[in-house]
């Protein structure tokens, strides 16, 4: 198969109701799952990076991705004959409030590819121009946010965390005006388009918009389509099947929340329109990885006061968002107890999976009574000492069951040098930790291997991504492509990237883009 002969099946657009108008003007769209809309051409498209693993999954080779057709296709200047480009209609709760119709305001799906192995992948261009859902915006994206989405999609995949993927990143040759911090000082920036890939981009909000409008027929049709195409273990789309569907969504979401917590990832804007029905990480905006452990940290400037979407709140917000999905599905079930049972199971799964993951992070064969207290004391010490989350857990694998612990090495990971009192507490904690290690028949090499399989050596810190953005803004794509390769092996040491595997440097502490980010594209 080549780029020109990709097989498009377009299951979503074939099965669900379309907006009768194909105009791109902003409007309310009723009784439709999507609007047909074509990408707006750009002046000088250029692919500056692409994911070879993702291209391979789509049966595309290096020659395909370096071809003139790829540059035109993945910037929206050209479409293939069997594509049906569209923007999806959905609603959502944003920061806890119902926001009404939202939809794909700057993302346009090209269609769904069926690969030679029988897999289905939806291709979507983010930043491809205005759609009926663009509201007051222009439907475009800038280079900095596009690089972050492109890199983070692939970073999460290689960390083993369910996510949408990214195929390639293009500069458009056009400028896009943005006010990064909503300060009243907009500036022109380099325009870019990220070609995103996913089995589906269906979100909680796709169901919410139909329920909010009392469009039960289309709510039922969307639910049936989703079950039949993405939840193959469910045999029916009747009441029992819808309950089982919701239960599986709850379980997938629970696992995702725990995995985010395990690597210190903070999504930053967990609105219901940013929640995947498949339990994928979706819509990378103001995200970040915690550096010093801080359960109240959010990377989102819009959330700086309320901290609704802070690191430690994510599992509870997942529950809140699932409750909104339950409300949307209620008209198909008309019973509360089955839905509540699914939500209760969500909490149980989060708790159990969290303990299981932390047992591995700490090098325990299994979670035992008393481990929760040990973990809580560690968290408090790390918070008080502003200890780097990623570096600490990676270094912890070197701690011997018996013998001297390199406490100075631990203190070097802290932004706040531990006081004498805290140093004493660190000493006591490591004594208790070594005693816990000695209670299990786990040799140090075996334990270290287990820990290093879940504690990454490398994560995409915002300041690291910013270095690639700075270079790309100057026309140098070398750091971007080198970083893309580094992301493929996050649990291994890779020579040449040591400077990226350290505490946040002072220059990055308060620099724009290096810690907190705005929702602005």
């Amino acid at each position: 198969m080549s780029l020109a002969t990709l097989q498009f099946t377009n299951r979503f657009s074939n099965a669900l109701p379309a907006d009768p108008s194909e105009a791109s003007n902003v409007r309310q769209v009723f009784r439709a799952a999507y609007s047909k809309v074509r990408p707006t051409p750009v002046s000088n498209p250029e692919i500056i990076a692409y994911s070879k693993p993702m291209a391979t999954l789509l049966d595309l080779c290096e020659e395909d991705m370096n071809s003139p057709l790829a540059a035109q296709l993945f910037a929206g200047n050209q479409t293939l004959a069997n594509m049906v480009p569209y923007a999806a209609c959905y609603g959502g709760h944003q920061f806890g409030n119902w926001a009404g119709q939202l939809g794909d305001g700057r993302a346009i799906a090209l269609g769904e590819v069926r690969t030679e192995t029988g897999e289905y992948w939806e291709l979507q261009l983010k930043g491809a121009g205005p759609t009926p859902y663009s509201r007051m915006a222009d439907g475009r994206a800038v280079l900095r946010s596009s690089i972050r989405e492109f890199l983070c999609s692939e970073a999460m995949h290689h960390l083993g965390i369910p996510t949408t993927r990214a195929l390639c990143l293009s500069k458009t040759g056009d400028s896009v005006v943005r006010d990064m911090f909503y300060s009243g000082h907009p500036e022109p920036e380099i325009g870019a388009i990220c070609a995103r890939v996913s089995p589906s981009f269906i979100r909680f909000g796709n169901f919410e918009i139909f329920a909010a409008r009392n469009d039960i027929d289309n709510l039922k049709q969307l639910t049936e389509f989703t079950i039949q195409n993405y939840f193959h273990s469910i045999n029916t789309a009747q009441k029992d099947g819808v309950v089982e569907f919701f239960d599986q969504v709850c379980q997938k979401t629970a696992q995702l929340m725990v995995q985010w917590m395990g690597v210190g990832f903070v999504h930053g804007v967990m609105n219901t329109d940013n929640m995947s029905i498949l339990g994928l990480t979706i819509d990378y905006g103001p995200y970040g990885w915690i550096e010093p452990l801080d359960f109240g940290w959010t990377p989102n400037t819009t959330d700086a006061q309320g901290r609704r979407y802070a690191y430690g709140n994510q599992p509870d917000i997942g529950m809140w968002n699932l409750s909104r999905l339950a409300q949307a599905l209620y008209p198909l079930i008309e019973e509360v107890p089955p839905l509540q049972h699914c939500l209760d199971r969500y909490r149980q799964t989060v708790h159990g999976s969290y303990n299981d993951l932390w047992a591995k992070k700490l090098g325990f064969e299994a979670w035992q009574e008393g481990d929760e207290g040990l973990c809580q004391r560690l968290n408090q010490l790390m918070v008080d000492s502003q200890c780097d989350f990623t570096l600490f857990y990676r270094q912890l694998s070197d701690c011997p069951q018996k013998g001297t612990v390199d406490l100075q090495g631990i203190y070097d990971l802290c932004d706040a040098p531990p006081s004498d009192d805290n140093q004493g507490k660190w000493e006591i904690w490591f004594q208790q930790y070594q005693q816990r290690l000695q209670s299990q028949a786990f040799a140090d090499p075996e334990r270290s291997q287990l820990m290093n399989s879940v504690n990454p050596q490398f994560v995409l810190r915002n300041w690291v991504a910013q270095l690639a953005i700075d270079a790309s803004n100057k026309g140098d794509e070398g750091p971007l492509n080198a970083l893309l390769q580094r992301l493929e092996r996050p649990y291994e040491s890779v020579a040449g990237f040591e400077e990226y595997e350290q505490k946040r440097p002072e220059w990055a502490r308060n620099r724009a883009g290096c810690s907190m980010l705005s929702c602005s594209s």
Side-chain angles (χ1 to χ4, degrees), residues 246-264:
F246 180 62
D247 186 60
Q248 288 192 29
V249 175
C250 288
Q251 292 301 299
K252 290 175 184 291
T253 305
Q255 295 294 345
L256 183 66
M257 295 301 101
V258 172
Q259 288 176 286
W260 283 1
M261 298 294 287
V263 296

Side-chain angles (χ1 to χ4, degrees), residues 226-346:
T226 304
I227 291 173
Q228 290 169 4
N229 289 282
Y230 306 109
F231 293 80
H232 302 297
S233 64
I234 301 176
N235 296 322
T236 176
Q238 299 304 311
K239 182 183 296 187
D240 290 347
V242 175
V243 172
E244 187 178 350
F245 160 62
F246 180 62
D247 186 60
Q248 288 192 29
V249 175
C250 288
Q251 292 301 299
K252 290 175 184 291
T253 305
Q255 295 294 345
L256 183 66
M257 295 301 101
V258 172
Q259 288 176 286
W260 283 1
M261 298 294 287
V263 296
F265 177 77
V266 190
H267 184 280
V269 58
M270 286 179 64
N271 296 329
T272 58
D273 56 298
N274 293 335
M275 296 292 292
S276 163
I277 207 73
L278 301 181
L280 307 176
T281 314
I282 191 172
D283 288 344
Y284 292 95
Y287 66 80
W289 269 266
I290 51 171
E291 301 211 45
L293 179 59
D294 180 355
F295 288 93
W297 182 73
T298 174
N300 188 348
T301 56
T302 307
D303 197 28
Q305 289 188 323
R307 300 186 183 275
R308 176 181 177 85
Y309 299 139
Y311 172 63
N313 291 344
Q314 292 180 132
D316 287 340
I317 292 297
M319 175 74 166
W320 194 92
N321 289 343
L322 286 164
S323 298
R324 305 290 79 72
L325 178 60
Q327 290 177 341
L329 294 174
Y330 174 79
L332 306 181
I333 301 169
E334 296 184 319
E335 292 182 59
V336 171
L339 295 169
Q340 185 59 55
H341 176 70
C342 297
L343 293 171
D344 292 342
R345 276 185 21 90
Y346 167 86

Side-chain angles (χ1 to χ4, degrees), residues 381 383-387 411 413-419 422 426 503:
L381 280 170
V383 169
D384 292 344
S385 304
Q386 298 177 37
C387 187
Y411 301 154
L413 305 180
C414 302
D415 282 350
S419 63
N422 263 0
W426 274 111
K503 290 191 302 179

Side-chain angles (χ1 to χ4, degrees), residues 90-130:
Y90 50 82
H93 283 81
Q94 298 192 326
F95 295 94
N97 300 303
W98 175 243
Q101 177 181 292
L102 298 168
D104 287 332
R106 57 187 171 129
I108 297 176
L110 296 179
E112 183 184 53
V113 173
R114 187 179 189 274
T115 68
E116 291 181 341
T117 60
E119 293 181 324
Y120 293 92
W121 292 98
E122 187 173 327
L123 288 171
Q124 186 185 80
L125 303 183
K126 187 170 183 178

